[in-house]
Structures are given as structure tokens and as C-alpha cells.
Amino acid sequence: MNDYYQTNTKGHLTIGGMDALDLAKNFGTPLMVYDVAQIRKQFQSFQQAFNQQKVAYAISYASKAFTAIAIYQVINQLGGKIDVVSGGELYTALKAGFPPAKISFHGNNKTKAELLFAVQKHVGVIILDNFYEIALLSQILNETQSKALVMLRVTPGVTAHTHEYDQTGQEDSKFGFDVNSGQAEQAFLQVQANKKMKLIGIHSHIGSQILETVGFKLEIQKLMELLNQWAEKYNYQPQVLNLGGGFGIRYTAKDQALTSKIFVDEIVKTVRNYAHEFHLKIPEIWIEPGRSIVGNAGYSLYTVGSEKKVPGLLPYLAVDGGMGDNIRPALYQADYEALLARCPKEKPTETVRLVGRYCESGDILIKKLSLPPTKPGDIIAMLATGAYGYSMASNYNRVPRPAVIFVENGKAQEVIKRETYADLISHDCFYQ
Ligand code: LLP
């Protein structure tokens, strides 16, 4: 696994060229560190792949994977679009100066206030998820005398090979209009009949952490068949085909991650083939990668504290973070790799369970981890924690959420401050 991390002359782990031990010392732990060059490289790898294919495209970063003003700034610099799934994400993006026209608004139960906010801020496209929302948006557009570009999120009946909570394209899903039962067509007709909505295309997202291309090809087949029906019956010509995200990454040696190029090449080839077969114009192809943009660029640094050893059992090595800053192992049985930051290349001699500091037995970060000998105060780096770690963080046990730093060009900068105890009670009120 030596390709997945770098060391300096002292043998210490480096992140974006900076010594992980220095970062931990200067900013404290638990600490979330992003290597910004790696984020840029990932994003650009999708752009390059599409550019080589010479098709119209957009890469819309699924910002739920990691949301902060700073990441919106970086994606904007890269010329990307973003998708948001709540008023809070939208608010953050707008505060970051992200152009509203490049924002897509998702969600299976957007509130009236959120939709109104999106309409008033002239968000690029609202991705409609259900009939209730079509009616709600229609009402808002009438009340505000405005118009909106929309897409329909459809569930094509494709099951992605991933954790059950990460599957979304199958019929039995809370998201989107079902294709097979005709709901998608009904939604299409409602939107087409509405003068204030312009349907620029369709969207689907089949799941997350997908490590093969079969699901995407099936998804494209289903969507192109649907578009073909709408072309024949209603003479509809979509501008955009939005295929969602889900491109899997390497968490551990078990994950055979595909490159952005493989995903993009297969996607474009498949869209081209069906467009040719059905005599349709090739629509703009949009994708919404989240995890694959920020996942591998993120590292969690923790300090080792107590160790519990029971004869005959695997020891528990505890760190100062855990399920509060990374719920994924507890929630999805997600696997990660971790290193001893002062000597990641040293031969492992002990096997432990890496556990967190939260009052819950399930707060286990890594079930089986081989490490060189450790002592209290050592820094452990968990790899590939950049997606859905901080963004799903909580204050369970009233533990302040960690600081997040961006590292680039030999500089490290806090982009989300560490919470303080005062922050924790800032919304509490005394009961009179
Ligand atoms: N587009 C839509 C409509 C989505 O629902 C999602 C993720 C994405 C794009 C981005 O998917 P990605 O490229 O990041 O796989 N918390 C879970 C993941 C939930 C994903 C939700 N939707 C986890 O930690 O694995």
C-alpha cells in the first residue's frame, strides 16, 4: 500500500508534502486534513477524460460528501458545478460566492422555504423528485411570478452493487419517479404542461461507492430508452442527461477502484451507442461525483490514548476521535486503513482494534489493524476519510467537532475551526 501515502526524510507520513506530526502538533487532534492538490487532480481527471471524448459535459460536485465554504471555492476555481441537497448547503455555497446558475438543487423532501430560497436565488436547476414537489414548486413559481429550469429525478430500476444504504436506483427507493410503473412519464407530462417550468433533462443516481461500470451502462440504457419514448411520443429533446455520482474509491487493498477515465469512457461510449441506435442527439452528459473528488484526499489524524489488553483477545487501542467525526464504520461497516504517522513504513508487530472515545461499544474505527508498537501520544492517520466523514459528524457525547485544514503548496490553513465547549452550548437555553 506504499503508493497510497508519502513519507519525508524523517520517515514521517506527509500530507500534501507536509509532515503529519507537525500538522497534528500545530492544529491539535482529532484533525481532518485535506490535500487540496489531490482534490484538484481528481476533479481534473474527470474533466480531462470528458475533454478527450469531445462531448458536452458538466461535472457537478456532490457537495454532501464534504461541505464547507473552502471546498466550494476550490470547485469554483476548477470551473465545476455543484449539487446541493438542502437550504444549508445552498446557503454555504452562496456565501462562498459560488455562481447560483451552476448549482443543482436535489432532495426528496425539499421544504417550501428551501424551494423558495432556491427560486429567489436563481439556482441553475431544481431536480424534481416527486409529485408533491412539482405542485409545491408550481405554487411558488406562481406566487413569485418566476420561472425555473428543472430536471426529473427518475429511478430506473437498476441495483448498484454496493452497501444497501448506498443503493438508490432500484424501484424500491425513497428517491425519484419510478420509470417502470409510468410515474416518470406522468411527471414528464405534468412538467411539460407547466409554462413556468422548463424541463432541461432527466437525472438518476444508482448508488454510491460503485466499483464497476455495469450499473452505469444499465442506467444509461434505461434512461435512453425512456428518452427515446418521449422523443417518439412527444417529440421531446433533452438538453441534459444527468447520471449522478457513485464512482467508487480505494479505502483498503480490497477495493479495486476504477480510474475516472474508465468510468467516463464507458459512460460516453454507452450514451453514444444508444443515441445512435435511437437517432437521438447526444445530450450534455452531467455527472455528480462526491466521494471520488474528496475521499482519498482526506486524512483523519488522531492521538493515541488508552489501550485495553485482555489475555486472549485483540487489544483495544483508543484514539481521541471516533464515531462523532466518522460514523461510516459504525453505520456501514466501512473499512479503512490507518498508519502510525511517525513511522508508517516500519514493520507492524501488533494487531489491535482501533476504537474511538465515544460511549458506545460500536465505536470501532477499524476492527483489525496491524501497527508497529505504539505509545500514548502517538499520531494515527486514518486514510481516505475525506468523503462523508466530517459532513456526517455529530456532537454525540458533547464532543466538539474537529478542525478541518487544507494543505497545499507547503501551507496549511484552517478552513473549519475546531468547535469549542462554548460553541457546544451556544444554542442551549436555560429553562426558566
Ligand atoms: N448525486 C446524488 C443524487 C446523490 O444522492 C449522491 C450521493 C451523489 C450524487 C454522490 O455520490 P458519490 O459520488 O459521493 O458516491 N453517506 C454515504 C453515502 C451517501 C451518498 C448519498 N448520495 C456514505 O458515507 O457512504
Side-chain angles (χ1 to χ4, degrees):
M1 55 175 274
N2 283 12
D3 295 350
Y4 297 94
Y5 66 90
Q6 313 279 316
T7 53
N8 58 18
T9 50
K10 293 181 189 157
H12 298 173
L13 173 73
T14 59
I15 304 172
M18 298 191 73
D19 192 313
L21 296 188
D22 291 342
L23 295 174
K25 200 163 110 202
N26 295 338
F27 293 95
T29 62
L31 183 67
M32 187 67 227
V33 185
Y34 282 94
D35 175 352
V36 183
Q38 215 176 327
I39 295 176
R40 293 188 201 276
K41 211 172 107 198
Q42 262 312 103
F43 199 88
Q44 285 162 343
S45 71
F46 281 109
Q47 290 175 317
Q48 279 155 10
F50 273 111
N51 286 337
Q52 280 170 11
Q53 288 285 349
K54 302 202 175 358
V55 282
Y57 70 93
I59 297 165
S60 182
Y61 167 61
S63 65
K64 76 201 84 172
F66 171 60
T67 318
I69 285 181
I71 188 75
Y72 289 129
Q73 289 179 288
V74 171
I75 301 297
N76 196 22
Q77 285 165 4
L78 292 165
K81 292 183 192 273
I82 53 161
D83 83 56
V84 298
V85 293
S86 68
E89 284 185 356
L90 176 55
Y91 178 84
T92 311
L94 295 172
K95 284 284 171 193
F98 205 90
K102 294 170 97 178
I103 302 178
S104 307
F105 191 17
H106 267 296
N108 72 309
N109 193 20
K110 307 176 194 76
T111 64
K112 185 170 182 192
E114 286 177 318
L115 284 170
L116 180 62
F117 183 33
V119 167
Q120 284 170 339
K121 295 294 175 187
H122 307 290
V123 154
V125 54
I126 294 173
I127 303 189
L128 295 166
D129 203 275
N130 52 68
F131 293 108
Y132 168 74
E133 191 174 87
I134 297 179
L136 200 56
L137 181 64
S138 168
Q139 192 191 337
I140 291 169
L141 295 176
N142 284 333
E143 282 167 11
T144 56
Q145 303 197 349
S146 12
K147 292 187 170 178
L149 300 185
V150 300
M151 283 190 218
L152 291 175
R153 175 170 182 165
V154 303
T155 33
V158 174
T159 305
H161 295 177
T162 185
H163 188 282
E164 148 186 31
Y165 287 5
D166 273 338
Q167 296 174 348
T168 47
Q170 74 280 17
E171 279 167 28
D172 191 2
S173 157
K174 74 167 183 171
F175 297 104
F177 298 97
D178 179 52
V179 174
N180 294 341
S181 64
Q183 284 181 1
E185 185 169 348
Q186 227 181 309
F188 168 83
L189 292 172
Q190 283 190 14
V191 170
Q192 287 292 75
N194 190 312
K195 298 264 173 311
K196 294 189 175 279
M197 297 182 193
K198 182 170 186 314
L199 182 68
I200 62 166
I202 55 172
H203 167 281
S204 100
H205 169 78
I206 56 168
S208 207
Q209 182 55 13
I210 299 167
L211 296 166
E212 32 88 271
T213 58
V214 183
F216 290 104
K217 290 191 230 172
L218 287 171
E219 176 194 18
I220 294 165
Q221 180 189 348
K222 284 277 188 175
L223 297 183
M224 292 299 278
E225 281 170 1
L226 187 67
L227 290 174
N228 186 38
Q229 282 169 25
W230 294 354
E232 285 178 349
K233 270 170 100 169
Y234 310 111
N235 198 22
Y236 176 70
Q237 176 72 51
Q239 181 193 325
V240 177
L241 178 66
N242 185 333
L243 299 168
F247 314 105
I249 63 166
R250 180 197 188 278
Y251 283 99
T252 71
K254 282 201 311 252
D255 302 320
Q256 305 278 317
L258 301 178
T259 59
S260 315
K261 184 166 166 49
I262 292 178
F263 278 122
V264 170
D265 286 357
E266 285 297 317
I267 283 173
V268 175
K269 192 172 86 189
T270 314
V271 174
R272 277 207 169 105
N273 286 346
Y274 284 106
H276 182 75
E277 184 181 333
F278 298 139
H279 308 289
L280 297 172
K281 263 196 12 214
I282 298 173
E284 264 174 50
I285 303 173
W286 291 18
I287 56 166
E288 300 175 323
R291 188 189 316 268
S292 52
I293 302 299
V294 290
N296 288 118
Y299 300 71
S300 301
L301 300 184
Y302 299 113
T303 301
V304 170
S306 66
E307 183 168 15
K308 177 177 172 178
K309 288 182 172 163
V310 177
L313 296 179
L314 211 52
Y316 293 96
L317 185 69
V319 294
D320 56 354
M323 65 190 292
D325 59 81
N326 188 355
I327 190 72
R328 300 193 70 260
L331 192 56
Y332 315 115
Q333 299 77 48
D335 291 326
Y336 286 92
E337 281 172 356
L339 306 166
L340 186 55
R342 80 178 139 78
C343 53
K345 290 196 167 144
E346 203 173 297
K347 210 169 160 283
T349 52
E350 53 188 58
T351 302
V352 299
R353 274 176 279 197
L354 191 73
V355 299
R357 47 85 35 85
Y358 293 82
C359 290
E360 189 150 323
S361 299
D363 180 23
I364 297 175
L365 286 168
I366 299 180
K367 287 199 193 89
K368 207 169 171 195
L369 173 66
S370 296
L371 288 172
T374 56
K375 54 183 185 334
D378 269 337
I379 302 298
I380 300 274
M382 224 160 106
L383 307 184
T385 57
Y388 305 105
Y390 189 89
S391 66
M392 294 176 82
S394 76
N395 288 124
Y396 184 45
N397 296 166
R398 286 252 150 158
V399 176
R401 283 179 297 172
V404 181
I405 63 169
F406 272 17
V407 167
E408 191 171 28
N409 298 328
K411 277 205 320 240
Q413 193 211 309
E414 217 166 43
V415 294
I416 301 181
K417 287 189 207 145
R418 181 178 303 286
E419 279 177 340
T420 62
Y421 288 152
D423 290 331
L424 292 176
I425 59 156
S426 65
H427 286 230
D428 284 22
C429 305
F430 280 96
Y431 180 51
Q432 311 288 347

